[in-house]
Amino acid sequence: MEILVCVKRVPDTAENEFELNSAGNDLDRDDLVYSVNEWDNYAVEEAIQIVDDKGGSVTVITVGDDESEEVLRREMAMGADNGILLTDDAFEGSDGMGIAAILKAEIEKGSYDLILTGAQADEGAGQVGGMLAAMLDLPYASLVNKIEVVDDKTLKVGREIEGGNQEMNEISLPAVLSIQTGINEPRYVGIRGIRKVAKVEIPEKSASDLGLDAGSIGEAGAKTKRVDYFVPDLGDGAEMLEGSTEEIIEKLIEKLKANGGL
Ligand SMILES: Cc1cc2nc3c(=O)[nH]c(=O)nc-3n(C[C@H](O)[C@H](O)[C@H](O)COP(=O)(O)OP(=O)(O)OC[C@H]3O[C@@H](n4cnc5c(N)ncnc54)[C@H](O)[C@@H]3O)c2cc1C
C-alpha cells in the first residue's frame, strides 16, 4: 500500500513559554523550539505499521520553510521511506484551504492508496484533512483511532464519537483519514536513526513546480483572516492552582472530591 502522511512543524508545547507577538495577532515565534505535530507522529507510526504488515511505502510531506525539512527527517528516521518538502515564499500566509490546495497539487502527481493527516495541528483548525479529501474527491473519515486493512481496496476504520463511544466503518480506497492520538504508541527515534537519514536527498517543490497560481495560495489567496489572538480573561469563579505538578494534581483531586466530582 502506498501511503502519504501530511506532517506539520509546530512549536513544541512542552519546550516553550508562549507569549503574544507585538501585533497581538499570533504567538511570538522568535526563538521557539519546534517539533513534529503530535497527531502527525501517530499517523506516521500507523502508516509504518501498515506497510510493515502489508508491504508498500510511506512518504511524508510538509508545506513549510527550509527548517521544516527537520520534521521530514525525523519521521524518516522513524521509518518513513521518502520525504517531500513543499516550499516557496508564495506559500507564506496560506490559510487551511491554501495548505490543502498546495498538498493536493503534489498528491495528484503521485499515486497513493491512503492519505493520512493528523486530526488537528497547532492552530487547532482540524480542517486540512477534510478539505484535502473534498478537493481530491476522495472518501474521508475523521478522528480515526483504529485501522484494519480488509484488502487492497477496503479498510475498516474506528472512530471516536461523543461520550467515549466507538463506531466502525468500512471505507473504500483511495481515501483520506485524519488520525486521532492514542491510535498506537509511536516508536522512539534514536540518534542513530536520525544520523542514518541525515544525508538522504529530500526533493523540494515550489509553486511553479506544482503549477500553482501564486494568487490562489499564500496571503493573496487566503479567504480566512486572523484578526485577533488573545488569552481570555479568567471568569469570576476561576481559581488557578499553584505548585509543582504533583501538588497541583493533589489539590485538584481534593477539590473534585469536595465538590462531588469524584
Ligand atoms: C490568514 C491566515 C494566515 C496564516 N499564515 C500562516 C503562515 O504564514 N505560516 C503558517 O505556518 N501558518 C499560517 N497560518 C496557519 C495555517 O493556515 C494553518 O497551519 C493551517 O490552516 C492548518 O491549520 P491547523 O494548523 O489548525 O491544521 P489542521 O487543519 O488542524 O491540521 C490537520 C492536519 O493537516 C495537516 N497539515 C496542516 N498543516 C500542514 C502543513 N503545513 N503541511 C503538511 N500538512 C499539514 C497535518 O496532517 C495536520 O495534522 C495562517 C492561517 C490564516 C487563517
Side-chain angles (χ1 to χ4, degrees):
M1 191 173 297
E2 297 304 311
I3 309 180
L4 181 85
V5 189
C6 304
V7 300
K8 184 181 181 192
R9 179 175 179 262
V10 299
D12 190 331
T13 46
E15 298 286 339
N16 296 297
E17 296 260 337
F18 294 107
E19 283 177 20
L20 295 187
N21 66 6
S22 52
N25 61 1
D26 196 6
L27 299 174
D28 182 351
R29 291 182 185 263
D30 291 343
D31 304 322
L32 292 182
V33 177
Y34 283 81
S35 61
V36 65
N37 176 41
E38 188 186 358
W39 284 263
D40 304 346
N41 206 35
Y42 283 90
V44 173
E45 175 64 40
E46 196 62 21
I48 294 169
Q49 289 188 17
I50 294 172
V51 164
D52 282 351
D53 193 30
K54 305 287 177 195
S57 75
V58 179
T59 300
V60 284
I61 187 167
T62 194
V63 182
D65 55 17
D66 287 351
E67 291 184 85
S68 301
E69 200 188 279
E70 79 192 18
V71 299
L72 296 176
R73 286 200 194 280
R74 190 205 175 275
E75 300 307 284
M76 289 167 77
M78 197 168 159
D81 303 277
N82 313 297
I84 306 173
L85 175 62
L86 307 181
T87 186
D88 196 307
D89 289 348
F91 297 164
E92 265 176 48
S94 293
D95 59 5
M97 194 161 84
I99 301 284
I102 297 163
L103 289 166
K104 170 195 177 247
E106 172 59 22
I107 291 169
E108 281 181 334
K109 292 183 188 298
S111 172
Y112 301 101
D113 303 299
L114 182 59
I115 296 151
L116 303 181
T117 72
Q120 65 175 70
D122 58 329
E123 311 270 336
Q127 52 176 267
V128 170
M131 285 196 182
L132 192 54
M135 287 177 184
L136 292 165
D137 199 18
L138 291 179
Y140 174 61
S142 60
L143 297 167
V144 168
N145 63 3
K146 193 172 178 48
I147 300 180
E148 290 167 19
V149 179
V150 177
D151 55 41
D152 59 359
K153 290 268 164 279
T154 321
L155 297 181
K156 253 192 192 165
V157 295
R159 293 186 64 252
E160 180 186 301
I161 48 176
E162 194 59 30
N165 295 328
Q166 177 78 18
E167 65 176 32
M168 293 299 291
N169 302 277
E170 263 191 10
I171 190 163
S172 302
L173 296 174
V176 181
L177 309 179
S178 81
I179 302 297
Q180 181 59 294
T181 52
I183 187 172
N184 52 43
E185 210 167 294
R187 67 199 66 188
Y188 173 75
V189 177
I191 195 82
R192 235 153 132 224
I194 302 267
R195 280 210 196 107
K196 219 168 119 190
V197 297
K199 297 222 157 52
V200 176
E201 184 109 1
I202 294 182
E204 288 187 16
K205 309 238 177 131
S206 65
S208 63
D209 295 331
L210 298 176
L212 286 166
D213 163 26
S216 67
I217 47 167
E219 208 164 343
K223 296 199 169 50
T224 50
K225 306 253 178 267
R226 187 183 302 127
V227 290
D228 205 354
Y229 195 107
F230 58 94
V231 181
D233 291 335
L234 292 179
D236 287 342
E239 181 186 345
M240 295 303 287
L241 299 178
E242 309 277 348
S244 66
T245 307
E246 285 75 21
E247 285 163 351
I248 292 174
I249 291 170
E250 227 167 85
K251 285 180 193 169
L252 182 61
I253 291 173
E254 272 166 31
K255 287 198 177 289
L256 285 171
K257 278 186 183 156
N259 290 291
L262 279 181

